[in-house]
Amino acid sequence: MVNPHFQQCVLYPCDLAMLQRVFNQVCAAGGHDAASPEAEILAAALLGLFQNGMTNEAALLAEMRSRQQVYLLRTG
């Protein structure tokens, strides 16, 4: 089921710039090429967090790093 907020969420240039910074940092930390399938999954997760109300840059970065660590632990 699609979150109603997801359909109505407006992304302003400052939001996109912040999301890009977080995305770039997470990709760099994980050694992901920005055009890789892994990076696409990261971008979707990041956007989902933002659209569900997590709009603080530091909180987004911490959550994405945490998710990346959990993924690495599960996959080796």
Side-chain angles (χ1 to χ4, degrees):
M1 182 171 151
V2 176
N3 182 335
H5 178 72
F6 181 81
Q7 295 175 356
Q8 298 174 3
C9 185
V10 175
L11 295 173
Y12 295 98
C14 60
D15 298 329
L16 292 172
M18 184 262 301
L19 290 168
Q20 185 70 57
R21 286 191 301 273
V22 173
F23 175 77
N24 290 344
Q25 290 179 56
V26 172
C27 284
H32 304 293
D33 179 273
S36 70
E38 294 84 6
E40 187 174 331
I41 293 167
L42 290 170
L46 177 60
L47 188 56
L49 289 170
F50 182 84
Q51 290 176 323
N52 283 301
M54 186 178 286
T55 58
N56 177 277
E57 185 168 350
L60 282 166
L61 185 56
E63 179 63 24
M64 292 302 295
R65 285 181 175 164
S66 174
R67 287 178 180 214
Q68 196 169 39
Q69 287 176 346
V70 168
Y71 175 78
L72 290 175
L73 288 173
R74 289 183 181 166
T75 61

